[in-house]
Amino acid sequence: MGTDGQGRDVFSRVLYGAQVSLTVGLISQIINSFIGTALGISAGYFGGWWDDLVNGLTNVMLAIPSLVFALAIMAVLGPGLPSLLIALGLTNWSWTCRIARSSTLSLKNQGFVQAAKTAGFSDLNIMRTQILPNILGPVLVIATLGIGGAVLAEAALSFLGVGIRPPQPSWGNMLSDARELIQAAPWAAIFPGLAIFVTVLGFNLLGDGLRDMLDPHMRTRKA
């Protein structure tokens, strides 16, 4: 893979950048999934003013471009990995919340949930033991697809200089450094860009595969 403009090995920097990008993607998506699932289940289960509040907050979050919101958070917190995890972990929970809420609305009047209420189970226990296991499929699919989006967002923020800062390598700041070398040393930009492409594509394909595996309608259609 050659070396970059400062004589550093591109291969080793791409490998280290993979560690950074996958860490950001996985941890930020865990945060997103936790926030979105908790808000969605509670909104769908309790309804009323809490459902209206969560819906309003979700609509606001969906109206704001997630990258712009993350840029604003990074401007306050400053660059670095912890700030990046917080910024991306607080910006992409809206779709998970929507999925969790709609699934909870379809489940909360089912017989097994009503039986748990009759048996004296607390609301928290019902949401944890009766509803959550039954909505994990779509939430897991959304989370898997979101990892690819988080990797792209980290690369974009680092490319703009507000994410991972040099000399710590990430695929985004490697692309930023390679802008001036695009004609003299194109490999300095090709390989980190290819790493982003392959990683995001892989998580998207994984999400599609999980959706087909977990959706009973898809299994029936293929059978």
PDB file of all heavy atoms in Angstrom, residues 49-71:
ATOM      1  N   TRP A  49     -49.283  11.526  27.661  1.00  0.00           N
ATOM      2  CA  TRP A  49     -48.392  12.675  27.508  1.00  0.00           C
ATOM      3  C   TRP A  49     -46.950  12.246  27.249  1.00  0.00           C
ATOM      4  O   TRP A  49     -46.216  12.931  26.538  1.00  0.00           O
ATOM      5  CB  TRP A  49     -48.462  13.570  28.747  1.00  0.00           C
ATOM      6  CG  TRP A  49     -47.881  12.940  29.988  1.00  0.00           C
ATOM      7  CD1 TRP A  49     -48.541  12.204  30.917  1.00  0.00           C
ATOM      8  CD2 TRP A  49     -46.510  12.986  30.408  1.00  0.00           C
ATOM      9  NE1 TRP A  49     -47.686  11.771  31.897  1.00  0.00           N
ATOM     10  CE2 TRP A  49     -46.431  12.236  31.623  1.00  0.00           C
ATOM     11  CE3 TRP A  49     -45.354  13.564  29.907  1.00  0.00           C
ATOM     12  CZ2 TRP A  49     -45.228  12.072  32.307  1.00  0.00           C
ATOM     13  CZ3 TRP A  49     -44.161  13.399  30.583  1.00  0.00           C
ATOM     14  CH2 TRP A  49     -44.103  12.670  31.777  1.00  0.00           C
ATOM     15  N   TRP A  50     -46.555  11.101  27.825  1.00  0.00           N
ATOM     16  CA  TRP A  50     -45.185  10.634  27.604  1.00  0.00           C
ATOM     17  C   TRP A  50     -44.981  10.227  26.144  1.00  0.00           C
ATOM     18  O   TRP A  50     -43.937  10.517  25.552  1.00  0.00           O
ATOM     19  CB  TRP A  50     -44.881   9.475  28.546  1.00  0.00           C
ATOM     20  CG  TRP A  50     -43.519   8.871  28.353  1.00  0.00           C
ATOM     21  CD1 TRP A  50     -43.223   7.617  27.924  1.00  0.00           C
ATOM     22  CD2 TRP A  50     -42.252   9.513  28.575  1.00  0.00           C
ATOM     23  NE1 TRP A  50     -41.871   7.426  27.859  1.00  0.00           N
ATOM     24  CE2 TRP A  50     -41.250   8.581  28.256  1.00  0.00           C
ATOM     25  CE3 TRP A  50     -41.883  10.778  29.006  1.00  0.00           C
ATOM     26  CZ2 TRP A  50     -39.903   8.874  28.360  1.00  0.00           C
ATOM     27  CZ3 TRP A  50     -40.526  11.078  29.099  1.00  0.00           C
ATOM     28  CH2 TRP A  50     -39.555  10.131  28.788  1.00  0.00           C
ATOM     29  N   ASP A  51     -45.981   9.591  25.566  1.00  0.00           N
ATOM     30  CA  ASP A  51     -45.911   9.217  24.153  1.00  0.00           C
ATOM     31  C   ASP A  51     -45.841  10.464  23.286  1.00  0.00           C
ATOM     32  O   ASP A  51     -45.050  10.525  22.325  1.00  0.00           O
ATOM     33  CB  ASP A  51     -47.135   8.373  23.790  1.00  0.00           C
ATOM     34  CG  ASP A  51     -47.036   7.787  22.393  1.00  0.00           C
ATOM     35  OD1 ASP A  51     -45.906   7.630  21.892  1.00  0.00           O
ATOM     36  OD2 ASP A  51     -48.083   7.486  21.798  1.00  0.00           O
ATOM     37  N   ASP A  52     -46.638  11.488  23.599  1.00  0.00           N
ATOM     38  CA  ASP A  52     -46.603  12.741  22.834  1.00  0.00           C
ATOM     39  C   ASP A  52     -45.236  13.416  22.954  1.00  0.00           C
ATOM     40  O   ASP A  52     -44.708  13.946  21.969  1.00  0.00           O
ATOM     41  CB  ASP A  52     -47.693  13.688  23.332  1.00  0.00           C
ATOM     42  CG  ASP A  52     -49.097  13.164  23.050  1.00  0.00           C
ATOM     43  OD1 ASP A  52     -49.242  12.346  22.129  1.00  0.00           O
ATOM     44  OD2 ASP A  52     -50.037  13.578  23.767  1.00  0.00           O
ATOM     45  N   LEU A  53     -44.667  13.409  24.150  1.00  0.00           N
ATOM     46  CA  LEU A  53     -43.361  14.039  24.363  1.00  0.00           C
ATOM     47  C   LEU A  53     -42.271  13.327  23.569  1.00  0.00           C
ATOM     48  O   LEU A  53     -41.451  13.970  22.892  1.00  0.00           O
ATOM     49  CB  LEU A  53     -43.025  14.045  25.857  1.00  0.00           C
ATOM     50  CG  LEU A  53     -41.664  14.641  26.249  1.00  0.00           C
ATOM     51  CD1 LEU A  53     -41.591  16.108  25.850  1.00  0.00           C
ATOM     52  CD2 LEU A  53     -41.413  14.468  27.740  1.00  0.00           C
ATOM     53  N   VAL A  54     -42.251  11.997  23.641  1.00  0.00           N
ATOM     54  CA  VAL A  54     -41.229  11.227  22.919  1.00  0.00           C
ATOM     55  C   VAL A  54     -41.407  11.389  21.418  1.00  0.00           C
ATOM     56  O   VAL A  54     -40.424  11.538  20.675  1.00  0.00           O
ATOM     57  CB  VAL A  54     -41.289   9.744  23.335  1.00  0.00           C
ATOM     58  CG1 VAL A  54     -40.367   8.903  22.451  1.00  0.00           C
ATOM     59  CG2 VAL A  54     -40.899   9.585  24.795  1.00  0.00           C
ATOM     60  N   ASN A  55     -42.661  11.376  20.949  1.00  0.00           N
ATOM     61  CA  ASN A  55     -42.909  11.567  19.521  1.00  0.00           C
ATOM     62  C   ASN A  55     -42.426  12.938  19.060  1.00  0.00           C
ATOM     63  O   ASN A  55     -41.831  13.075  17.979  1.00  0.00           O
ATOM     64  CB  ASN A  55     -44.400  11.424  19.225  1.00  0.00           C
ATOM     65  CG  ASN A  55     -44.775  10.020  18.787  1.00  0.00           C
ATOM     66  OD1 ASN A  55     -43.963   9.313  18.199  1.00  0.00           O
ATOM     67  ND2 ASN A  55     -45.979   9.607  19.090  1.00  0.00           N
ATOM     68  N   GLY A  56     -42.700  13.969  19.867  1.00  0.00           N
ATOM     69  CA  GLY A  56     -42.254  15.305  19.507  1.00  0.00           C
ATOM     70  C   GLY A  56     -40.733  15.399  19.459  1.00  0.00           C
ATOM     71  O   GLY A  56     -40.164  15.984  18.525  1.00  0.00           O
ATOM     72  N   LEU A  57     -40.066  14.804  20.448  1.00  0.00           N
ATOM     73  CA  LEU A  57     -38.608  14.815  20.468  1.00  0.00           C
ATOM     74  C   LEU A  57     -38.036  14.037  19.288  1.00  0.00           C
ATOM     75  O   LEU A  57     -37.048  14.459  18.667  1.00  0.00           O
ATOM     76  CB  LEU A  57     -38.114  14.225  21.791  1.00  0.00           C
ATOM     77  CG  LEU A  57     -36.609  14.229  22.035  1.00  0.00           C
ATOM     78  CD1 LEU A  57     -36.055  15.643  22.004  1.00  0.00           C
ATOM     79  CD2 LEU A  57     -36.283  13.567  23.368  1.00  0.00           C
ATOM     80  N   THR A  58     -38.668  12.918  18.963  1.00  0.00           N
ATOM     81  CA  THR A  58     -38.217  12.125  17.815  1.00  0.00           C
ATOM     82  C   THR A  58     -38.356  12.894  16.514  1.00  0.00           C
ATOM     83  O   THR A  58     -37.460  12.875  15.657  1.00  0.00           O
ATOM     84  CB  THR A  58     -39.011  10.817  17.739  1.00  0.00           C
ATOM     85  OG1 THR A  58     -38.875  10.090  18.956  1.00  0.00           O
ATOM     86  CG2 THR A  58     -38.531   9.950  16.586  1.00  0.00           C
ATOM     87  N   ASN A  59     -39.490  13.600  16.356  1.00  0.00           N
ATOM     88  CA  ASN A  59     -39.685  14.393  15.139  1.00  0.00           C
ATOM     89  C   ASN A  59     -38.659  15.506  15.022  1.00  0.00           C
ATOM     90  O   ASN A  59     -38.178  15.818  13.918  1.00  0.00           O
ATOM     91  CB  ASN A  59     -41.099  14.982  15.132  1.00  0.00           C
ATOM     92  CG  ASN A  59     -42.167  13.926  14.909  1.00  0.00           C
ATOM     93  OD1 ASN A  59     -41.918  12.912  14.262  1.00  0.00           O
ATOM     94  ND2 ASN A  59     -43.355  14.151  15.451  1.00  0.00           N
ATOM     95  N   VAL A  60     -38.321  16.121  16.137  1.00  0.00           N
ATOM     96  CA  VAL A  60     -37.294  17.167  16.123  1.00  0.00           C
ATOM     97  C   VAL A  60     -35.945  16.584  15.705  1.00  0.00           C
ATOM     98  O   VAL A  60     -35.219  17.162  14.881  1.00  0.00           O
ATOM     99  CB  VAL A  60     -37.189  17.844  17.502  1.00  0.00           C
ATOM    100  CG1 VAL A  60     -35.959  18.743  17.575  1.00  0.00           C
ATOM    101  CG2 VAL A  60     -38.442  18.647  17.802  1.00  0.00           C
ATOM    102  N   MET A  61     -35.595  15.421  16.275  1.00  0.00           N
ATOM    103  CA  MET A  61     -34.320  14.793  15.938  1.00  0.00           C
ATOM    104  C   MET A  61     -34.259  14.392  14.468  1.00  0.00           C
ATOM    105  O   MET A  61     -33.214  14.505  13.820  1.00  0.00           O
ATOM    106  CB  MET A  61     -34.100  13.570  16.826  1.00  0.00           C
ATOM    107  CG  MET A  61     -33.884  13.882  18.289  1.00  0.00           C
ATOM    108  SD  MET A  61     -32.390  14.849  18.598  1.00  0.00           S
ATOM    109  CE  MET A  61     -31.133  13.716  18.030  1.00  0.00           C
ATOM    110  N   LEU A  62     -35.393  13.926  13.926  1.00  0.00           N
ATOM    111  CA  LEU A  62     -35.418  13.535  12.521  1.00  0.00           C
ATOM    112  C   LEU A  62     -35.351  14.737  11.591  1.00  0.00           C
ATOM    113  O   LEU A  62     -34.933  14.617  10.441  1.00  0.00           O
ATOM    114  CB  LEU A  62     -36.689  12.721  12.228  1.00  0.00           C
ATOM    115  CG  LEU A  62     -36.748  11.321  12.834  1.00  0.00           C
ATOM    116  CD1 LEU A  62     -38.111  10.698  12.601  1.00  0.00           C
ATOM    117  CD2 LEU A  62     -35.664  10.430  12.240  1.00  0.00           C
ATOM    118  N   ALA A  63     -35.783  15.914  12.092  1.00  0.00           N
ATOM    119  CA  ALA A  63     -35.751  17.118  11.266  1.00  0.00           C
ATOM    120  C   ALA A  63     -34.362  17.736  11.197  1.00  0.00           C
ATOM    121  O   ALA A  63     -34.080  18.541  10.294  1.00  0.00           O
ATOM    122  CB  ALA A  63     -36.743  18.150  11.805  1.00  0.00           C
ATOM    123  N   ILE A  64     -33.495  17.395  12.145  1.00  0.00           N
ATOM    124  CA  ILE A  64     -32.138  17.941  12.169  1.00  0.00           C
ATOM    125  C   ILE A  64     -31.185  16.936  11.522  1.00  0.00           C
ATOM    126  O   ILE A  64     -31.140  15.772  11.951  1.00  0.00           O
ATOM    127  CB  ILE A  64     -31.680  18.232  13.605  1.00  0.00           C
ATOM    128  CG1 ILE A  64     -32.640  19.195  14.305  1.00  0.00           C
ATOM    129  CG2 ILE A  64     -30.265  18.797  13.619  1.00  0.00           C
ATOM    130  CD1 ILE A  64     -32.323  19.394  15.772  1.00  0.00           C
ATOM    131  N   PRO A  65     -30.433  17.322  10.511  1.00  0.00           N
ATOM    132  CA  PRO A  65     -29.446  16.387   9.933  1.00  0.00           C
ATOM    133  C   PRO A  65     -28.483  15.899  11.019  1.00  0.00           C
ATOM    134  O   PRO A  65     -27.927  16.699  11.769  1.00  0.00           O
ATOM    135  CB  PRO A  65     -28.727  17.240   8.878  1.00  0.00           C
ATOM    136  CG  PRO A  65     -29.704  18.313   8.530  1.00  0.00           C
ATOM    137  CD  PRO A  65     -30.459  18.608   9.788  1.00  0.00           C
ATOM    138  N   SER A  66     -28.340  14.588  11.101  1.00  0.00           N
ATOM    139  CA  SER A  66     -27.552  14.017  12.197  1.00  0.00           C
ATOM    140  C   SER A  66     -26.100  14.485  12.169  1.00  0.00           C
ATOM    141  O   SER A  66     -25.487  14.698  13.223  1.00  0.00           O
ATOM    142  CB  SER A  66     -27.616  12.487  12.141  1.00  0.00           C
ATOM    143  OG  SER A  66     -27.138  12.004  10.893  1.00  0.00           O
ATOM    144  N   LEU A  67     -25.542  14.660  10.974  1.00  0.00           N
ATOM    145  CA  LEU A  67     -24.150  15.100  10.892  1.00  0.00           C
ATOM    146  C   LEU A  67     -23.996  16.535  11.401  1.00  0.00           C
ATOM    147  O   LEU A  67     -23.009  16.861  12.065  1.00  0.00           O
ATOM    148  CB  LEU A  67     -23.643  14.988   9.454  1.00  0.00           C
ATOM    149  CG  LEU A  67     -22.137  15.176   9.249  1.00  0.00           C
ATOM    150  CD1 LEU A  67     -21.358  14.137  10.043  1.00  0.00           C
ATOM    151  CD2 LEU A  67     -21.789  15.099   7.768  1.00  0.00           C
ATOM    152  N   VAL A  68     -24.991  17.385  11.113  1.00  0.00           N
ATOM    153  CA  VAL A  68     -24.941  18.765  11.607  1.00  0.00           C
ATOM    154  C   VAL A  68     -25.054  18.789  13.122  1.00  0.00           C
ATOM    155  O   VAL A  68     -24.342  19.541  13.812  1.00  0.00           O
ATOM    156  CB  VAL A  68     -26.075  19.588  10.962  1.00  0.00           C
ATOM    157  CG1 VAL A  68     -26.139  20.991  11.579  1.00  0.00           C
ATOM    158  CG2 VAL A  68     -25.882  19.680   9.457  1.00  0.00           C
ATOM    159  N   PHE A  69     -25.943  17.957  13.676  1.00  0.00           N
ATOM    160  CA  PHE A  69     -26.092  17.881  15.124  1.00  0.00           C
ATOM    161  C   PHE A  69     -24.798  17.374  15.763  1.00  0.00           C
ATOM    162  O   PHE A  69     -24.349  17.894  16.799  1.00  0.00           O
ATOM    163  CB  PHE A  69     -27.265  16.962  15.464  1.00  0.00           C
ATOM    164  CG  PHE A  69     -27.690  17.024  16.906  1.00  0.00           C
ATOM    165  CD1 PHE A  69     -27.362  18.100  17.713  1.00  0.00           C
ATOM    166  CD2 PHE A  69     -28.439  15.997  17.454  1.00  0.00           C
ATOM    167  CE1 PHE A  69     -27.763  18.159  19.038  1.00  0.00           C
ATOM    168  CE2 PHE A  69     -28.851  16.042  18.775  1.00  0.00           C
ATOM    169  CZ  PHE A  69     -28.505  17.121  19.573  1.00  0.00           C
ATOM    170  N   ALA A  70     -24.189  16.355  15.152  1.00  0.00           N
ATOM    171  CA  ALA A  70     -22.930  15.835  15.680  1.00  0.00           C
ATOM    172  C   ALA A  70     -21.830  16.888  15.614  1.00  0.00           C
ATOM    173  O   ALA A  70     -21.005  17.000  16.531  1.00  0.00           O
ATOM    174  CB  ALA A  70     -22.512  14.582  14.897  1.00  0.00           C
ATOM    175  N   LEU A  71     -21.799  17.680  14.538  1.00  0.00           N
ATOM    176  CA  LEU A  71     -20.819  18.763  14.428  1.00  0.00           C
ATOM    177  C   LEU A  71     -20.995  19.783  15.555  1.00  0.00           C
ATOM    178  O   LEU A  71     -20.011  20.261  16.133  1.00  0.00           O
ATOM    179  CB  LEU A  71     -20.971  19.466  13.079  1.00  0.00           C
ATOM    180  CG  LEU A  71     -20.224  18.874  11.883  1.00  0.00           C
ATOM    181  CD1 LEU A  71     -20.675  19.542  10.600  1.00  0.00           C
ATOM    182  CD2 LEU A  71     -18.723  19.031  12.058  1.00  0.00           C
TER     183      LEU A  71
END
